[in-house]
Amino acid sequence: MEDCLFCKIAEGKIPSTKVYEDELCYAFLDINPLAPTHILVIPRRHIDSCAVLTQADEALIGHIFTVIAEIARQQHLDNGFRVVSNAGEEAGQTVKHLHFHILAGRPMTAKMNDRMA
Ligand code: AMP
Ligand code: ZN
């Protein structure tokens, strides 16, 4: 997609620090890391966010999660890691190309069982 930052990164038109790549996806270091390890995994094909996924994307998303597990092994994220995908404004999505954050290397403060204030 034209004028999409992550499409350009996947095509190598904008530089990034590659962590992993194959024919379906690309992984690179987040430019503004929120944890000692902060990696982004993106499909090469432009998809706006996880909110628009359909059955046709199931194999791709399954593949991406297998890649995430492989990256976690390669990076020795043995103490655990968190996978996050923001969809839409209220969730804080700033780049409108589906991406999965892999965060690791510090305790994650917001727990899944935190209650709403
Ligand atoms: P989100 O806020 O969920 O849309 O995440 C977008 C992420 O992309 C943020 O964590 C940014 O730091 C990261 N980011 C933005 N531009 C770049 C870039 N050129 N290279 C690597 N990461 C980037
Ligand atoms: Zn894109």
Side-chain angles (χ1 to χ4, degrees), residues 17-80:
T17 305
K18 181 175 80 177
V19 172
Y20 173 93
E21 72 175 329
D22 62 28
E23 66 284 357
L24 292 176
C25 65
Y26 183 74
F28 56 105
L29 297 185
D30 196 294
I31 205 167
N32 184 23
L34 300 174
T37 298
H38 190 168
I39 295 165
L40 300 173
V41 187
I42 63 174
R44 289 191 183 278
R45 174 162 62 83
H46 182 89
I47 299 172
D48 283 350
S49 78
C50 57
V52 298
L53 292 171
T54 69
Q55 272 192 333
D57 303 310
E58 284 178 4
L60 172 64
I61 299 307
H63 175 71
I64 286 177
F65 270 87
T66 306
V67 164
I68 287 171
E70 178 63 28
I71 290 171
R73 285 190 287 271
Q74 278 178 9
Q75 302 280 326
H76 307 292
L77 306 182
D78 305 325
N79 290 332

